[in-house]
């Protein structure tokens, strides 16, 4: 203790220099080395307890699950199952048709098959500049950086860094995220980017659209087949506004995502897909 | 020694809480900055050494799990803790205005430095949007919450100091 009191300034300066060097060398890494592994092991129980407690309370708070409510929900779900089964039957017919026709025309399959791994979100960034979260699986389970993350609603983001038992991921709203997407109706391509100012409203920006491209409010946006990271055809969101810039001869679309980033809980990580 | 263990545990608990169920107390998307609240309380009550230690530890944790580069938050928060703890022995601890103002201005300074490091160097210049829409609400929320935290920390500190005094008499 006496040592610390005596050399307070020196320790402070040494630590500052160390941290600056650390920051310079660790920016933009894709796997967190030994420090990440050690701290990951230390904080995992705390984060696990935290997310368990928060899950418990959000379950309690989100409306009393009374008997009536559950009965009504059950009836609605049964109805939906019937509808989905019917739809599924139709779609599998289409799939079979599609397979035959593509084989006939000697084309490559447009939609790629991919494998997924279920994972849980154990922490969310509380800062104001970024929109990232932490998953409970890491490189031990075969995850690496740049793997896409999807929810049942649609694309959610991608992994940017992997520790041994956790991984850091960014959502589509984060300004560091950019995804090659296309308009499902017309096939026009664009780049979907997060934006610092739209982040608070939960929206994204689709850029590099041609001025004469055919895009309307309500169009569904899906991932394009140009991307090396994201499999083609995953739905992302729908167009909610179109901004025309006549001077620059470009269009920008504001896209509302399908995924609910505020209540991300269990997600699927796409571990491998054939292009 | 017991204080170091308490601060270490506190930084781990703070990290877990702020990354999981702090969302429960958000007001229109604004979250309080619990790291800075605890730093202002510790450094006012215990001086710059413990403020800097807590700032370093919690900043490092935040950096490893959320920051784009390890060391940025740790450096800012460590220096902040060291700075805020200067002359802490000379102030009246019973006064509630000092933690309030310290917390308010620290949050503004912290977020502004992060803006320069993360956003300005990447070519994003609209500081006033963030200042008006994010930084000021966060600073106000944190400052108000810091009063509650300060009252609790003050009580805990009194208790620990009494205990340490008693122990010293025994030996």
């Amino acid at each position: 203790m006496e040592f610390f009191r005596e050399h307070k300034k020196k320790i402070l300066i040494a630590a500052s220099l160390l941290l600056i060097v650390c920051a310079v060398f660790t920016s933009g890494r894709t796997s967190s080395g030994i420090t990440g592994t050690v701290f990951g092991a230390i904080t995992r129980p705390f984060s696990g307890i935290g997310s368990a407690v928060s899950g418990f309370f959000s379950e309690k708070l989100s409306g009393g699950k009374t008997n009536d409510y559950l009965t009504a929900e059950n009836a609605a779900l049964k109805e939906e199952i019937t509808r989905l089964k019917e739809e599924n039957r139709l779609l599998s017919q289409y799939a079979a048709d599609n397979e035959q026709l593509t084989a006939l025309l000697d084309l490559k399959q447009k939609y790629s098959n991919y494998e997924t791994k279920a994972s849980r979100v154990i922490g969310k960034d509380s800062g104001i500049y970024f929109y990232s979260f932490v998953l409970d699986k890491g490189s031990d389970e075969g995850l690496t950086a740049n793997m896409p993350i999807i929810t049942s609603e649609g694309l959610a983001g991608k992994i940017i860094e992997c520790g041994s038992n956790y991984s850091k991921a960014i959502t589509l709203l984060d300004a560091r995220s950019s995804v090659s997407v296309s308009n499902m109706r017309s096939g026009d391509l664009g780049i979907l980017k997060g934006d610092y100012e739209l982040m608070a409203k939960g929206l994204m920006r689709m850029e590099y659209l041609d001025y004469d491209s055919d895009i309307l409010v309500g169009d569904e946006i899906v991932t394009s087949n140009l991307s090396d990271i994201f499999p083609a055809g995953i739905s992302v969101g729908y167009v909610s506004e179109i901004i025309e810039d006549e001077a620059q001869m470009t269009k920008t679309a504001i896209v509302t995502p399908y995924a609910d980033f505020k209540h991300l809980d269990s997600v699927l990580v796409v571990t491998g897909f054939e292009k | 020694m017991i204080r170091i263990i308490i601060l270490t545990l506190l930084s781990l608990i703070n990290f877990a809480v702020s990354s999981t169920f702090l969302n429960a107390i958000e007001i229109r998307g604004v979250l309080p900055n619990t790291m800075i609240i605890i730093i202002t309380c510790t450094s006012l009550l215990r001086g710059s050494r413990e403020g800097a230690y807590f700032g370093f530890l919690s900043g490092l944790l935040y950096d490893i799990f959320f920051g784009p580069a390890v060391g940025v938050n740790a450096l800012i928060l460590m220096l902040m803790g060291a700075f805020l703890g200067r002359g802490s022995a000379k102030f009246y601890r019973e006064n509630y205005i000092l933690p309030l103002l310290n917390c308010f201005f620290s949050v503004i300074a912290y977020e502004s430095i992060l803006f320069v490091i993360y956003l300005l160097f990447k070519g994003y210049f609209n500081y006033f949007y963030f200042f008006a829409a994010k930084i000021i609400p966060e600073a106000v929320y944190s400052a108000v919450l810091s009063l509650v935290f300060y009252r609790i920390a003050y009580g805990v500190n009194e208790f620990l100091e009494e205990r340490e005094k008693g122990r010293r008499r025994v030996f």
Side-chain angles (χ1 to χ4, degrees):
Chain A
M1 281 297 108
E2 202 53 47
F3 175 77
F4 284 105
R5 204 163 293 142
E6 226 167 274
H7 302 281
K8 202 167 76 182
K9 272 208 179 114
K10 277 181 207 162
I11 289 171
L12 213 57
I13 291 168
S16 307
L17 287 177
L18 199 70
L19 288 176
I20 291 170
V21 171
C22 207
V24 168
F25 280 103
T26 55
S27 70
R29 76 228 143 105
T30 54
S31 82
S32 52
I34 184 78
T35 47
T37 308
V38 170
F39 275 89
I42 294 172
T43 53
R44 260 307 282 286
F46 287 89
S47 294
I49 292 166
S51 53
V53 170
S54 96
F56 173 78
F57 277 109
S58 66
E59 222 163 73
K60 288 274 170 206
L61 290 174
S62 63
K65 302 230 162 159
T66 57
N67 226 349
D68 291 349
Y69 175 80
L70 288 176
T71 318
E73 195 183 19
N74 199 15
L77 287 176
K78 266 183 186 157
E79 222 167 81
E80 194 169 351
I81 285 174
T82 325
R83 199 175 54 77
L84 287 177
K85 263 188 183 163
E86 177 63 25
E87 213 175 290
N88 205 9
R89 198 180 52 76
L90 207 67
L91 286 177
S92 48
Q93 279 180 9
Y94 286 154
D97 269 4
N98 185 18
E99 218 164 274
Q100 278 180 6
L101 292 174
T102 40
L104 214 61
L105 289 170
D106 206 15
L107 285 174
K108 253 186 116 181
Q109 203 71 27
K110 192 175 170 192
Y111 299 110
S112 35
N113 293 318
Y114 48 81
E115 286 164 24
T116 56
K117 196 160 258 177
S119 183
R120 271 173 59 81
V121 175
I122 53 168
K124 276 172 207 157
D125 188 357
S126 55
I128 61 172
Y129 297 118
F130 301 115
Y131 210 124
S132 55
F133 54 95
V134 178
L135 299 177
D136 69 344
K137 288 196 175 121
S139 49
D140 286 354
E141 308 263 343
L143 306 191
T144 54
N146 280 339
M147 280 184 172
I149 293 166
I150 54 180
T151 67
S152 53
E153 290 101 14
L155 189 69
K158 68 170 183 184
I159 293 177
I160 53 169
E161 191 189 317
C162 268
S164 64
N165 62 352
Y166 72 96
S167 35
K168 277 159 75 168
I170 54 173
T171 61
L172 296 173
L173 302 181
D174 193 296
R176 289 171 287 175
S177 143
S178 70
V179 185
S180 166
V181 292
S182 68
N183 184 341
M184 198 162 87
R185 189 174 54 83
S186 65
D188 285 327
L189 295 168
I191 302 285
L192 190 75
K193 284 185 175 173
D195 187 285
Y196 287 117
E197 282 161 50
L198 293 174
M199 192 172 81
K201 297 177 203 150
L203 302 172
M204 300 163 293
R205 188 185 285 275
M206 183 175 170
E207 285 179 349
Y208 309 121
L209 283 162
D210 285 339
Y211 190 65
D212 55 354
S213 64
D214 177 18
I215 187 164
L216 297 169
V217 170
D219 278 355
E220 183 163 356
I221 303 296
V222 297
T223 51
S224 82
N225 49 3
L226 293 180
S227 176
D228 277 338
I229 296 173
F230 298 97
I234 300 179
S235 52
V236 177
Y238 59 90
V239 176
S240 54
E241 196 189 335
I242 293 165
I243 302 164
E244 294 187 15
D245 188 347
E246 286 189 31
Q248 301 258 326
M249 295 291 283
T250 55
K251 269 184 189 172
T252 303
I254 306 294
V255 177
T256 309
Y258 287 131
D260 181 4
F261 295 116
K262 283 216 161 162
H263 305 102
L264 282 179
D265 185 28
S266 49
V267 294
L268 293 174
V269 182
V270 177
T271 47
F273 73 98
E274 312 140 22
K275 251 190 99 60
Chain B
M1 198 59 211
I2 186 150
R3 283 186 186 271
I4 292 193
I5 294 169
I6 285 178
L7 281 177
T8 311
L9 273 179
L10 193 64
S11 69
L12 284 169
I13 291 167
N14 171 52
F15 172 75
V17 168
S18 65
S19 64
T20 52
F21 53 91
L22 196 69
N23 287 324
I25 57 164
E26 72 161 21
I27 299 175
R28 295 180 136 256
V30 177
L31 287 171
N33 196 326
T34 47
M35 279 192 293
I36 289 186
I37 293 174
I38 299 176
I39 287 169
T40 47
C41 295
T42 357
S43 52
L44 264 184
L45 291 170
R46 297 293 307 167
S48 46
R49 228 168 355 125
E50 284 170 35
Y53 176 71
F54 181 82
F56 173 78
L57 212 60
S58 52
L60 197 64
L61 276 178
Y62 185 82
D63 272 335
I64 285 171
F65 287 99
F66 298 114
V70 174
V72 178
N73 279 283
L75 176 63
I76 298 172
L77 292 174
M78 182 182 74
L79 293 180
M80 192 168 274
F83 177 75
L84 290 175
R86 292 181 73 186
S88 62
K90 292 175 196 150
F91 298 121
Y92 285 111
R93 287 178 184 179
E94 291 79 7
N95 195 341
Y96 282 87
I97 294 176
L98 207 57
L100 187 87
L101 287 181
N102 267 0
C103 190
F104 183 77
F105 289 111
S106 315
V107 171
I108 292 179
Y110 166 74
E111 298 290 6
S112 303
I113 294 168
L114 283 189
F115 180 88
V116 171
I117 292 173
Y118 288 148
L119 272 60
L120 200 64
F121 286 164
K122 284 191 178 164
Y124 178 84
F125 295 105
N126 196 353
Y127 175 70
F128 292 103
Y129 165 76
F130 269 105
F131 189 72
K134 296 272 177 166
I135 296 177
I136 289 289
E138 189 192 351
V140 171
Y141 196 0
S142 307
V144 171
L145 210 64
S146 78
L147 292 182
V148 182
F149 270 77
Y150 189 72
R151 185 70 201 87
I152 297 168
Y154 182 76
V156 171
N157 187 48
E158 285 285 273
F159 171 75
L160 281 177
E161 268 175 10
E162 275 306 307
R163 242 188 66 158
E164 277 170 3
K165 251 186 224 160
R167 195 173 281 168
R168 241 171 253 148
R169 239 177 259 141
V170 173
F171 283 96

